[in-house]
Structure formats: C-alpha cells, structure tokens
Amino acid sequence: MVDVGAGTGIETEVLVRESSVPVHAVEPCRAMRTPLLARIARLPACSRARVTVHPCPAEETGLRHVADLAVASNVIPCVPPAGRRAIWHAIANALAPGGLLLFDPPPAHPALPGRWSLPPVQVGPDVYRADVTSTPHNGAQRLRFTYRVHREGRVVREEHEDFTPWPTHPAVITREPTSAGLIPVPTPHPDLRAAVLPAWRPEK
C-alpha cells in the first residue's frame, strides 16, 4: 500500500492496522514527517517493520509495482498542474496490475472569498482555535489557517499556515490519470474519486 502525502500519518496508521502488507508513507515535508514518525513509533514492532517512510515527492520514490492500493488524501487539490500530472505517473508505477487509487479531487471552481472558524478544542487550561481565510490568488485559491492558543481569555501563541488549492475541471481530473494509464471507476461518495491500473498494459 502507498500513502501519497502521508502528512501526520492518520491514513498510514489505518493502512498498517487494517492490513498485513508493506506500507509506503510518502511525505516530503520535514515538519509533517515529525508527527508521522511519532505515530509510527507508537505501533507494535511487527507493524512498524512493515512501514517505509519516503522523505521525497512521489515521483522520486522509484516505487514500481509494490502496492495494490494507493491513497492520496488532501493532496491532489494542493498540487500545481505540472506536479499533479507527475503524481499520476508515479502512482501508476507504484501500483501492481489491478491496483486501486483513491483520492479527493480539487474543487471545480475557486471558492468565494470569505472567512470561517473551525470548532475550538480545549486541552487542559488552553483553548485551541483556528480561523480560515479564503482569497483569490493567481487563478487559484489561497487558504490561510491562523491557529491561536487562548489561556484565561488571552492569546498565548499564534501560528499561520497557507495552502493553495488549484481549481480544476472534473474532465481534467478524469483525463490526467487516464493519460498515466489509470482507468477512472465509480465511487460510493461524490467527494471521492477512484482509478484502477489495468491488469495488463504495455511497459513504457
């Protein structure tokens, strides 16, 4: 199995716990790999032994025919078009014949400018809050997450994080995997897309 853009390892942990096969966690961001490795470290030794962490983009892993399932959660929408096309080919190479890819597609249109808040979470005396601001950005969408920690009614810490989802027409998200040799298939949920690698295809 391959977790493309493993992030903090939530999906990686599920793949490890629900299978008995090797799992490849692909995460090029050092900040994300810290919680990813911490999560893997909590697994039983026999489970940890099945996980390989790749600290590079998917197209640089060199994986070939190693998995029957690949997942890309919260990844495809935030990759620029050229990088997105490279990911399809990397996934097609990593999948064994008949393997399945699951991913969430980018939005078809840019979201309207706006601001909203995520539900607050309390940990001990601290309340963690997050506000999201959406603005147009070079034909795409810029999402800025502002995280604040409140204690006794005042802000004690504040951090910012930016993401750029690239709106893409659904026909493009069908065409691009197909050009990499993947065949789109129906899914049970409209927010999820899937594609399979044919059981046979000529080597390139």
Side-chain angles (χ1 to χ4, degrees):
M1 298 185 179
V2 180
D3 187 2
V4 180
T8 61
I10 295 175
E11 287 83 9
T12 299
E13 182 176 14
V14 172
L15 294 177
V16 173
R17 291 189 181 279
E18 299 300 323
S19 75
S20 58
V21 300
V23 175
H24 296 267
V26 181
E27 182 47 66
C29 177
R30 179 179 295 181
M32 288 292 189
R33 286 200 306 275
T34 299
L36 167 64
L37 290 168
R39 190 182 298 273
I40 293 171
R42 296 198 300 265
L43 296 171
C46 59
S47 297
R48 295 197 306 270
R50 292 189 285 113
V51 184
T52 302
V53 176
H54 299 268
C56 60
E59 57 270 26
E60 296 178 12
T61 61
L63 295 174
R64 290 191 64 82
H65 309 315
V66 298
D68 56 6
L69 174 65
V71 296
S73 177
N74 295 322
V75 174
I76 300 302
C78 294
V79 178
R84 192 177 62 226
R85 290 189 289 270
I87 285 179
W88 302 130
H89 286 277
I91 292 173
N93 287 333
L95 285 174
L100 175 69
L101 163 65
L102 297 174
F103 66 97
D104 51 334
H109 306 285
L112 294 175
R115 185 176 181 274
W116 62 92
S117 298
L118 302 181
V121 175
Q122 183 160 359
V123 180
D126 298 335
V127 177
Y128 291 74
R129 301 180 184 275
D131 297 317
V132 187
T133 302
S134 172
T135 56
H137 181 74
N138 293 337
Q141 177 188 5
R142 174 63 57 83
L143 294 178
R144 163 155 282 211
F145 285 71
T146 300
Y147 306 101
R148 296 184 180 92
V149 181
H150 297 254
R151 182 179 298 168
E152 297 179 351
R154 60 188 182 89
V155 176
V156 295
R157 290 196 302 279
E158 179 173 318
E159 298 289 342
H160 301 276
E161 188 174 22
D162 293 332
F163 296 93
T164 304
W166 295 79
T168 308
H169 193 278
V172 175
I173 297 302
T174 297
R175 184 172 65 247
E176 287 182 348
T178 301
S179 69
L182 298 162
I183 300 176
V185 294
T187 64
H189 195 281
D191 292 338
L192 185 67
R193 300 289 290 273
V196 298
L197 186 72
W200 179 88
R201 64 170 183 164
E203 291 289 344
K204 294 184 179 179

PDB file of all heavy atoms in Angstrom, residues 11-31:
ATOM      1  N   GLU A  11      -3.834   8.341   7.926  1.00  0.00           N
ATOM      2  CA  GLU A  11      -4.187   7.286   6.979  1.00  0.00           C
ATOM      3  C   GLU A  11      -3.156   6.159   6.999  1.00  0.00           C
ATOM      4  O   GLU A  11      -3.506   4.982   6.867  1.00  0.00           O
ATOM      5  CB  GLU A  11      -4.316   7.842   5.555  1.00  0.00           C
ATOM      6  CG  GLU A  11      -5.554   8.668   5.313  1.00  0.00           C
ATOM      7  CD  GLU A  11      -5.389  10.114   5.775  1.00  0.00           C
ATOM      8  OE1 GLU A  11      -4.247  10.498   6.130  1.00  0.00           O
ATOM      9  OE2 GLU A  11      -6.390  10.851   5.788  1.00  0.00           O
ATOM     10  N   THR A  12      -1.881   6.525   7.184  1.00  0.00           N
ATOM     11  CA  THR A  12      -0.842   5.498   7.247  1.00  0.00           C
ATOM     12  C   THR A  12      -1.134   4.511   8.369  1.00  0.00           C
ATOM     13  O   THR A  12      -1.043   3.289   8.190  1.00  0.00           O
ATOM     14  CB  THR A  12       0.538   6.143   7.474  1.00  0.00           C
ATOM     15  OG1 THR A  12       0.834   7.021   6.394  1.00  0.00           O
ATOM     16  CG2 THR A  12       1.621   5.079   7.559  1.00  0.00           C
ATOM     17  N   GLU A  13      -1.500   5.026   9.534  1.00  0.00           N
ATOM     18  CA  GLU A  13      -1.793   4.154  10.671  1.00  0.00           C
ATOM     19  C   GLU A  13      -2.970   3.232  10.362  1.00  0.00           C
ATOM     20  O   GLU A  13      -2.942   2.040  10.694  1.00  0.00           O
ATOM     21  CB  GLU A  13      -2.092   4.985  11.910  1.00  0.00           C
ATOM     22  CG  GLU A  13      -2.348   4.142  13.146  1.00  0.00           C
ATOM     23  CD  GLU A  13      -2.552   4.974  14.397  1.00  0.00           C
ATOM     24  OE1 GLU A  13      -2.753   6.210  14.266  1.00  0.00           O
ATOM     25  OE2 GLU A  13      -2.516   4.405  15.499  1.00  0.00           O
ATOM     26  N   VAL A  14      -4.007   3.765   9.700  1.00  0.00           N
ATOM     27  CA  VAL A  14      -5.154   2.930   9.339  1.00  0.00           C
ATOM     28  C   VAL A  14      -4.729   1.819   8.383  1.00  0.00           C
ATOM     29  O   VAL A  14      -5.102   0.648   8.548  1.00  0.00           O
ATOM     30  CB  VAL A  14      -6.267   3.786   8.711  1.00  0.00           C
ATOM     31  CG1 VAL A  14      -7.379   2.900   8.150  1.00  0.00           C
ATOM     32  CG2 VAL A  14      -6.839   4.758   9.734  1.00  0.00           C
ATOM     33  N   LEU A  15      -3.920   2.166   7.386  1.00  0.00           N
ATOM     34  CA  LEU A  15      -3.471   1.162   6.418  1.00  0.00           C
ATOM     35  C   LEU A  15      -2.664   0.068   7.097  1.00  0.00           C
ATOM     36  O   LEU A  15      -2.802  -1.115   6.768  1.00  0.00           O
ATOM     37  CB  LEU A  15      -2.631   1.832   5.325  1.00  0.00           C
ATOM     38  CG  LEU A  15      -3.364   2.814   4.411  1.00  0.00           C
ATOM     39  CD1 LEU A  15      -2.387   3.445   3.431  1.00  0.00           C
ATOM     40  CD2 LEU A  15      -4.500   2.146   3.663  1.00  0.00           C
ATOM     41  N   VAL A  16      -1.815   0.454   8.045  1.00  0.00           N
ATOM     42  CA  VAL A  16      -0.998  -0.536   8.747  1.00  0.00           C
ATOM     43  C   VAL A  16      -1.871  -1.439   9.615  1.00  0.00           C
ATOM     44  O   VAL A  16      -1.729  -2.666   9.602  1.00  0.00           O
ATOM     45  CB  VAL A  16       0.076   0.159   9.605  1.00  0.00           C
ATOM     46  CG1 VAL A  16       0.807  -0.864  10.464  1.00  0.00           C
ATOM     47  CG2 VAL A  16       1.061   0.905   8.724  1.00  0.00           C
ATOM     48  N   ARG A  17      -2.782  -0.833  10.366  1.00  0.00           N
ATOM     49  CA  ARG A  17      -3.598  -1.614  11.300  1.00  0.00           C
ATOM     50  C   ARG A  17      -4.574  -2.541  10.579  1.00  0.00           C
ATOM     51  O   ARG A  17      -4.928  -3.602  11.106  1.00  0.00           O
ATOM     52  CB  ARG A  17      -4.364  -0.679  12.237  1.00  0.00           C
ATOM     53  CG  ARG A  17      -3.474   0.070  13.226  1.00  0.00           C
ATOM     54  CD  ARG A  17      -4.305   0.808  14.263  1.00  0.00           C
ATOM     55  NE  ARG A  17      -3.484   1.557  15.197  1.00  0.00           N
ATOM     56  CZ  ARG A  17      -2.875   1.028  16.252  1.00  0.00           C
ATOM     57  NH1 ARG A  17      -3.014  -0.266  16.507  1.00  0.00           N
ATOM     58  NH2 ARG A  17      -2.142   1.784  17.059  1.00  0.00           N
ATOM     59  N   GLU A  18      -5.048  -2.127   9.394  1.00  0.00           N
ATOM     60  CA  GLU A  18      -6.078  -2.906   8.698  1.00  0.00           C
ATOM     61  C   GLU A  18      -5.507  -3.823   7.619  1.00  0.00           C
ATOM     62  O   GLU A  18      -6.256  -4.351   6.802  1.00  0.00           O
ATOM     63  CB  GLU A  18      -7.102  -1.954   8.065  1.00  0.00           C
ATOM     64  CG  GLU A  18      -7.842  -1.083   9.072  1.00  0.00           C
ATOM     65  CD  GLU A  18      -8.632  -1.906  10.085  1.00  0.00           C
ATOM     66  OE1 GLU A  18      -9.197  -2.949   9.681  1.00  0.00           O
ATOM     67  OE2 GLU A  18      -8.679  -1.512  11.257  1.00  0.00           O
ATOM     68  N   SER A  19      -4.199  -4.011   7.601  1.00  0.00           N
ATOM     69  CA  SER A  19      -3.599  -4.874   6.594  1.00  0.00           C
ATOM     70  C   SER A  19      -2.435  -5.641   7.212  1.00  0.00           C
ATOM     71  O   SER A  19      -2.055  -5.419   8.369  1.00  0.00           O
ATOM     72  CB  SER A  19      -3.099  -4.050   5.403  1.00  0.00           C
ATOM     73  OG  SER A  19      -1.896  -3.368   5.727  1.00  0.00           O
ATOM     74  N   SER A  20      -1.873  -6.522   6.410  1.00  0.00           N
ATOM     75  CA  SER A  20      -0.688  -7.265   6.844  1.00  0.00           C
ATOM     76  C   SER A  20       0.417  -7.169   5.804  1.00  0.00           C
ATOM     77  O   SER A  20       1.306  -8.011   5.759  1.00  0.00           O
ATOM     78  CB  SER A  20      -1.060  -8.737   7.094  1.00  0.00           C
ATOM     79  OG  SER A  20      -1.608  -9.319   5.914  1.00  0.00           O
ATOM     80  N   VAL A  21       0.340  -6.132   4.966  1.00  0.00           N
ATOM     81  CA  VAL A  21       1.287  -5.980   3.859  1.00  0.00           C
ATOM     82  C   VAL A  21       2.168  -4.752   4.094  1.00  0.00           C
ATOM     83  O   VAL A  21       1.866  -3.912   4.954  1.00  0.00           O
ATOM     84  CB  VAL A  21       0.530  -5.840   2.521  1.00  0.00           C
ATOM     85  CG1 VAL A  21      -0.318  -7.077   2.264  1.00  0.00           C
ATOM     86  CG2 VAL A  21      -0.343  -4.585   2.521  1.00  0.00           C
ATOM     87  N   PRO A  22       3.261  -4.614   3.345  1.00  0.00           N
ATOM     88  CA  PRO A  22       4.098  -3.415   3.471  1.00  0.00           C
ATOM     89  C   PRO A  22       3.329  -2.145   3.131  1.00  0.00           C
ATOM     90  O   PRO A  22       2.470  -2.138   2.245  1.00  0.00           O
ATOM     91  CB  PRO A  22       5.225  -3.671   2.460  1.00  0.00           C
ATOM     92  CG  PRO A  22       5.272  -5.152   2.305  1.00  0.00           C
ATOM     93  CD  PRO A  22       3.852  -5.614   2.432  1.00  0.00           C
ATOM     94  N   VAL A  23       3.646  -1.073   3.851  1.00  0.00           N
ATOM     95  CA  VAL A  23       3.018   0.228   3.632  1.00  0.00           C
ATOM     96  C   VAL A  23       4.123   1.255   3.383  1.00  0.00           C
ATOM     97  O   VAL A  23       5.079   1.351   4.156  1.00  0.00           O
ATOM     98  CB  VAL A  23       2.167   0.655   4.842  1.00  0.00           C
ATOM     99  CG1 VAL A  23       1.619   2.073   4.641  1.00  0.00           C
ATOM    100  CG2 VAL A  23       1.026  -0.331   5.062  1.00  0.00           C
ATOM    101  N   HIS A  24       3.972   2.023   2.300  1.00  0.00           N
ATOM    102  CA  HIS A  24       4.925   3.069   1.943  1.00  0.00           C
ATOM    103  C   HIS A  24       4.279   4.419   2.233  1.00  0.00           C
ATOM    104  O   HIS A  24       3.257   4.775   1.628  1.00  0.00           O
ATOM    105  CB  HIS A  24       5.303   2.972   0.463  1.00  0.00           C
ATOM    106  CG  HIS A  24       6.011   1.699   0.130  1.00  0.00           C
ATOM    107  ND1 HIS A  24       7.379   1.594   0.124  1.00  0.00           N
ATOM    108  CD2 HIS A  24       5.522   0.467  -0.210  1.00  0.00           C
ATOM    109  CE1 HIS A  24       7.723   0.363  -0.202  1.00  0.00           C
ATOM    110  NE2 HIS A  24       6.620  -0.346  -0.416  1.00  0.00           N
ATOM    111  N   ALA A  25       4.863   5.175   3.166  1.00  0.00           N
ATOM    112  CA  ALA A  25       4.360   6.502   3.520  1.00  0.00           C
ATOM    113  C   ALA A  25       5.242   7.546   2.838  1.00  0.00           C
ATOM    114  O   ALA A  25       6.423   7.681   3.165  1.00  0.00           O
ATOM    115  CB  ALA A  25       4.381   6.697   5.032  1.00  0.00           C
ATOM    116  N   VAL A  26       4.663   8.274   1.895  1.00  0.00           N
ATOM    117  CA  VAL A  26       5.410   9.258   1.105  1.00  0.00           C
ATOM    118  C   VAL A  26       5.118  10.645   1.657  1.00  0.00           C
ATOM    119  O   VAL A  26       3.986  11.130   1.570  1.00  0.00           O
ATOM    120  CB  VAL A  26       5.024   9.172  -0.386  1.00  0.00           C
ATOM    121  CG1 VAL A  26       5.819  10.181  -1.204  1.00  0.00           C
ATOM    122  CG2 VAL A  26       5.230   7.760  -0.916  1.00  0.00           C
ATOM    123  N   GLU A  27       6.127  11.299   2.227  1.00  0.00           N
ATOM    124  CA  GLU A  27       5.923  12.630   2.805  1.00  0.00           C
ATOM    125  C   GLU A  27       7.206  13.459   2.678  1.00  0.00           C
ATOM    126  O   GLU A  27       8.161  13.276   3.427  1.00  0.00           O
ATOM    127  CB  GLU A  27       5.516  12.529   4.271  1.00  0.00           C
ATOM    128  CG  GLU A  27       5.239  13.883   4.923  1.00  0.00           C
ATOM    129  CD  GLU A  27       4.357  14.761   4.061  1.00  0.00           C
ATOM    130  OE1 GLU A  27       3.181  14.404   3.848  1.00  0.00           O
ATOM    131  OE2 GLU A  27       4.856  15.796   3.579  1.00  0.00           O
ATOM    132  N   PRO A  28       7.236  14.395   1.716  1.00  0.00           N
ATOM    133  CA  PRO A  28       8.440  15.202   1.504  1.00  0.00           C
ATOM    134  C   PRO A  28       8.644  16.321   2.513  1.00  0.00           C
ATOM    135  O   PRO A  28       9.745  16.855   2.615  1.00  0.00           O
ATOM    136  CB  PRO A  28       8.235  15.770   0.100  1.00  0.00           C
ATOM    137  CG  PRO A  28       6.752  15.806  -0.089  1.00  0.00           C
ATOM    138  CD  PRO A  28       6.221  14.621   0.671  1.00  0.00           C
ATOM    139  N   CYS A  29       7.604  16.700   3.269  1.00  0.00           N
ATOM    140  CA  CYS A  29       7.695  17.832   4.188  1.00  0.00           C
ATOM    141  C   CYS A  29       8.254  17.382   5.538  1.00  0.00           C
ATOM    142  O   CYS A  29       7.662  16.537   6.221  1.00  0.00           O
ATOM    143  CB  CYS A  29       6.325  18.475   4.367  1.00  0.00           C
ATOM    144  SG  CYS A  29       6.301  19.828   5.552  1.00  0.00           S
ATOM    145  N   ARG A  30       9.378  17.976   5.941  1.00  0.00           N
ATOM    146  CA  ARG A  30      10.016  17.581   7.203  1.00  0.00           C
ATOM    147  C   ARG A  30       9.102  17.828   8.396  1.00  0.00           C
ATOM    148  O   ARG A  30       9.028  16.999   9.318  1.00  0.00           O
ATOM    149  CB  ARG A  30      11.329  18.339   7.381  1.00  0.00           C
ATOM    150  CG  ARG A  30      12.039  18.011   8.684  1.00  0.00           C
ATOM    151  CD  ARG A  30      13.346  18.766   8.810  1.00  0.00           C
ATOM    152  NE  ARG A  30      14.302  18.350   7.795  1.00  0.00           N
ATOM    153  CZ  ARG A  30      15.536  18.849   7.694  1.00  0.00           C
ATOM    154  NH1 ARG A  30      15.939  19.808   8.531  1.00  0.00           N
ATOM    155  NH2 ARG A  30      16.348  18.418   6.755  1.00  0.00           N
ATOM    156  N   ALA A  31       8.397  18.962   8.403  1.00  0.00           N
ATOM    157  CA  ALA A  31       7.525  19.270   9.539  1.00  0.00           C
ATOM    158  C   ALA A  31       6.427  18.220   9.700  1.00  0.00           C
ATOM    159  O   ALA A  31       6.022  17.891  10.821  1.00  0.00           O
ATOM    160  CB  ALA A  31       6.920  20.657   9.371  1.00  0.00           C
TER     161      ALA A  31
END
